[in-house]
Amino acid sequence: MKVLKFGGTSVGSPERIEQLLPIIRSQPSDKHLVVLSAVSGTTNDLVKLSELYEGKDIEGAYKHIDLLHQKYKKFVNELFKTDKGIQEASVFIDNIFDLFYQFKHKNFNSSAERIILAQGEIISTTLFHLYLKEKKVPSILLSALDFMLIDEDKEPNIDEIRKKASLEIAKHGEETLFITQGYICRNAQGEIDNLQRGGSDYTASLLGAALQAEEIQIWTDIDGFHNNDPRYVQNTKSIARLSFDEAAELSYFGAKILHPQSVFPARKYNVPVRLLDTMNPSAVGTLISGETTNQNQIVAIAAKDGITAIRIQSSRMLMAYGFLRKVFEVFERYKTPIDMITTSEVAVSLTIDQTDNLSEIVRELNSFSAVEIDSEQSIICIVGDFRKNNHGYATIVSEAVKHIPLRMISYGGSENNISLLVPSIFKIEALRSLHNRLF
């Protein structure tokens, strides 16, 4: 079995949906499990609808529903070619939008919002299933809510996913094409929930790992990982092969093509991931696997914005073995991950990208230290082979950015990356300068 995930842009128009079947048929395998995101823009529209309901703007919510309903009516009329196909798809769409109107009677809360957000993927998968039905192509539509499960800590339960997904597929033993939703799941209470933004990649990776697929394919609108951000840097090149560790570093530190969490299930169960371009299906793309193929070289550069740097200074840190534990416990209490960290005798600097609880964190830190905050920072991540026996790469990196103010440098914590923290206004200059020097 191969797991093929198509993102929002890949299902963003009727024309794009029509291109999916030839792509699926071109991938040799005994079975295909297709994971779809919501149609491009739909999740944002559903977030806005939830905000209108939460703000008790019923009139605004209704206008927003009407506009989105008209958009999907047009979508259906362009995608389907027969009266029967149009009628069946239209009935389905009307039922979904009738559901949206019903939330005016509810005490709107996060549970209601999650139900609304789930409809984006339910719409895209059902329309694709009905489209295949019109084309007389057999397919089975599976509800991700029957097998995608997260626990009390919002972590996926791989064993249950494997058990339940295998059971659902086994019910249709002779079928070869299955369709399901990305992003959505059920939580420990059995309620509709989700895997957060970018969760369709995560769904595909979890299913590929759980079902021990021969390959996970992520189809998007770019031909794999590039060695720098093509939005800001000219003459970037796609990377043919990456190790799981290299891909994890790049996706976490800003490369948007792949959701950061998607690498870990595939790595754990050693299922290769291939990144491919729906606009250019013949492109080689990027293969991510357990093989190390980029020895003794620098592979790529990525950048992550929205970073806040926190400097914590205290004379009590000097020779105090419990100080760092005390600092980390503050961030643990507020469930705030740390990206980078550097230390000296009397100070520690670290970065975060989740600032919802920043004021509470600073208040607690101030009780035993002096705290300085720098917002609007960016992490520049240089990924490559930085094992201790390799010489000179750190010098090349530092030489490339010697004219740019560096807030922090992290080197040695990973054999796969050097991370630099710079004010965001210098990010593009840093990316270009590093690219010119390294590549």
Side-chain angles (χ1 to χ4, degrees), residues 58-115:
I58 304 302
E59 182 179 352
Y62 278 13
K63 288 181 179 178
H64 190 65
I65 292 170
D66 289 341
L67 286 173
L68 191 56
H69 197 175
Q70 291 304 314
K71 170 184 170 182
Y72 269 105
K73 285 180 178 178
K74 184 173 183 289
F75 197 101
V76 164
N77 284 318
E78 292 177 359
L79 178 61
F80 293 89
K81 310 305 180 186
T82 66
D83 291 341
K84 183 179 179 181
I86 291 172
Q87 181 183 14
E88 194 169 359
S90 297
V91 169
F92 161 71
I93 290 294
D94 290 346
N95 288 336
I96 292 287
F97 282 87
D98 285 344
L99 170 67
F100 290 152
Y101 286 114
Q102 294 173 20
F103 284 92
K104 73 170 185 178
H105 304 297
K106 297 182 182 293
N107 180 21
F108 199 83
N109 53 25
S110 60
S111 178
E113 179 183 19
R114 291 194 296 267
I115 293 171

Side-chain angles (χ1 to χ4, degrees), residues 108-128:
F108 199 83
N109 53 25
S110 60
S111 178
E113 179 183 19
R114 291 194 296 267
I115 293 171
I116 286 178
L117 295 182
Q119 304 312 308
E121 279 71 20
I122 291 172
I123 290 172
S124 62
T125 50
T126 305
L127 289 182
F128 184 52

Side-chain angles (χ1 to χ4, degrees), residues 205-324:
S205 184
L206 288 166
L207 286 170
L211 298 171
Q212 285 290 277
E214 57 190 282
E215 188 173 273
I216 301 161
Q217 297 184 353
I218 307 293
W219 289 83
T220 180
D221 56 357
I222 188 170
D223 58 337
F225 273 111
H226 276 228
N227 62 354
N228 209 325
D229 193 328
R231 294 174 298 177
Y232 308 119
V233 180
Q234 294 181 344
N235 301 318
T236 66
K237 296 180 180 179
S238 61
I239 306 167
R241 301 179 73 92
L242 286 171
S243 70
F244 285 125
D245 288 339
E246 290 166 341
E249 299 279 11
L250 285 171
S251 59
Y252 184 77
F253 286 106
K256 301 297 185 185
I257 187 172
L258 187 65
H259 188 271
Q261 290 176 294
S262 301
V263 178
F264 300 110
R267 177 173 62 181
K268 182 177 179 179
Y269 293 91
N270 198 30
V271 179
V273 179
R274 195 180 297 272
L275 308 181
L276 296 160
D277 183 2
T278 50
M279 314 307 159
N280 184 15
S282 62
V284 174
T286 300
L287 177 64
I288 304 166
S289 71
E291 297 181 17
T292 302
T293 57
N294 298 308
Q295 292 183 347
N296 303 313
Q297 60 182 299
I298 293 176
V299 178
I301 306 164
K304 185 178 184 180
D305 294 326
I307 302 298
T308 297
I310 305 173
R311 185 171 185 267
I312 305 155
Q313 185 171 4
S314 175
S315 59
R316 282 178 278 178
M317 183 178 175
L318 186 64
M319 305 293 287
Y321 57 82
F323 186 83
L324 285 177

Side-chain angles (χ1 to χ4, degrees), residues 171-183:
K171 290 178 182 177
H172 311 279
E174 300 301 316
E175 300 295 339
T176 60
L177 177 54
F178 299 86
I179 304 163
T180 195
Q181 301 84 26
Y183 177 64

